[in-house]
Amino acid sequence: MKKRLLIATNNRGKVKEIQALLADLDLELVTPEQIGLRLDVVEDGQTYAENARLKALAFAQASGLVALADDSGLEVDALGGRPGLHSNRFGPQPSSEASRRAFLLTQLAGLPRPWTARFRATVVIARPDGQLWLTEGICEGEIIPEERGSHGFGYDPLFLIPEMGRTMAELGLEEKNRLSHRARAVRQAIPFLFAALEM
Ligand code: IMP
């Protein structure tokens, strides 16, 4: 029987990307929704690593499964690294992905370009017994003043990869998974996944 791994996030964009990154492994990937687990973890850590750890542990302990969580964010140099840890709650609340992108552009208006930025992701794998493994990934780019593309999620339509001349939202899932922060962190985590699952 295949070993099960819980993808510990309620974010559908992240789920799609992580599922594709791990699809070739001999594992059964399950989402919280598929196992009837409804869990909203309070992300009150001071770092991506702390938040990823909080999520991975909470999901592993609630499900009894090995869990993989991602905590990620966008850091814009002209804004001193904001929104960073608060990327999911940027600007007036309640917010949507579209309102957060619009708010980002209002914050950058009038500041000199290029608006250099990076996406950062920390992945934590947790076992229900509390053992943890952590990896990180970064993707460098630039914020542009108008949205381009319809793939991906979050800030993707505003995040240009300069060497490709395309935004993250103009890349298909496979292309994004070749270079994104999350892909880098998840790929590095694969050997630890085998350790956690005792494969
Ligand atoms: P959290 O990890 O659930 O705290 O949320 C991270 C937030 O950062 C997301 O809701 C997005 O706003 C942003 N973000 C993280 N990764 C990406 C990405 O790959 N594309 C676009 N936005 C992202």
Side-chain angles (χ1 to χ4, degrees):
M1 220 175 72
K2 287 190 181 186
K3 302 240 177 167
R4 294 177 111 194
L5 172 71
L6 178 63
I7 303 178
T9 177
N10 301 314
N11 177 319
R12 281 164 200 262
K14 289 186 185 180
V15 167
K16 262 204 212 165
E17 292 175 15
I18 296 169
Q19 276 173 334
L21 286 163
L22 302 177
D24 291 340
L25 305 182
D26 193 25
L27 292 180
E28 185 190 350
L29 304 175
V30 294
T31 61
E33 206 178 335
Q34 284 166 346
I35 61 166
L37 179 60
R38 181 75 226 162
L39 200 59
D40 272 312
V41 180
V42 180
E43 299 182 30
D44 57 2
Q46 299 301 306
T47 60
Y48 297 105
E50 277 177 43
N51 282 341
R53 178 176 163 277
L54 285 171
K55 291 188 268 192
L57 258 185
F59 276 94
Q61 288 173 345
S63 66
L65 298 172
V66 173
L68 182 152
D70 154 292
D71 197 65
S72 45
L74 172 71
E75 299 174 354
V76 182
D77 293 324
L79 302 179
R82 285 191 306 138
L85 268 189
H86 307 291
S87 295
N88 202 24
R89 323 173 270 275
F90 194 40
Q93 299 297 314
S95 65
S96 64
E97 292 194 335
S99 77
R100 293 190 285 268
R101 289 195 296 270
F103 184 72
L104 174 63
L105 292 182
T106 66
Q107 298 302 101
L108 285 167
L111 299 177
R113 289 181 68 193
W115 297 325
T116 54
R118 68 205 49 76
F119 276 125
R120 208 181 274 280
T122 298
V123 161
V124 168
I125 296 166
R127 285 169 37 133
D129 66 11
Q131 268 199 78
L132 300 166
W133 291 263
L134 180 148
T135 59
E136 292 174 311
I138 295 177
C139 180
E140 298 283 346
E142 181 187 324
I143 302 301
I144 53 168
E146 72 293 319
E147 300 193 3
R148 279 168 40 187
S150 55
H151 300 287
F153 69 97
Y155 299 94
D156 282 347
L158 292 176
F159 190 87
L160 181 78
I161 321 261
E163 55 277 23
M164 297 186 81
R166 290 195 284 167
T167 67
M168 279 273 204
E170 291 177 311
L171 304 181
L173 179 62
E174 249 181 52
E175 287 176 301
K176 181 173 174 184
N177 270 350
R178 255 179 252 139
L179 52 80
S180 82
H181 50 312
R182 181 165 303 101
R184 289 182 171 137
V186 170
R187 248 187 253 112
Q188 280 184 70
I190 290 174
F192 303 128
L193 211 47
F194 292 136
L197 291 161
E198 295 172 328
M199 289 171 76

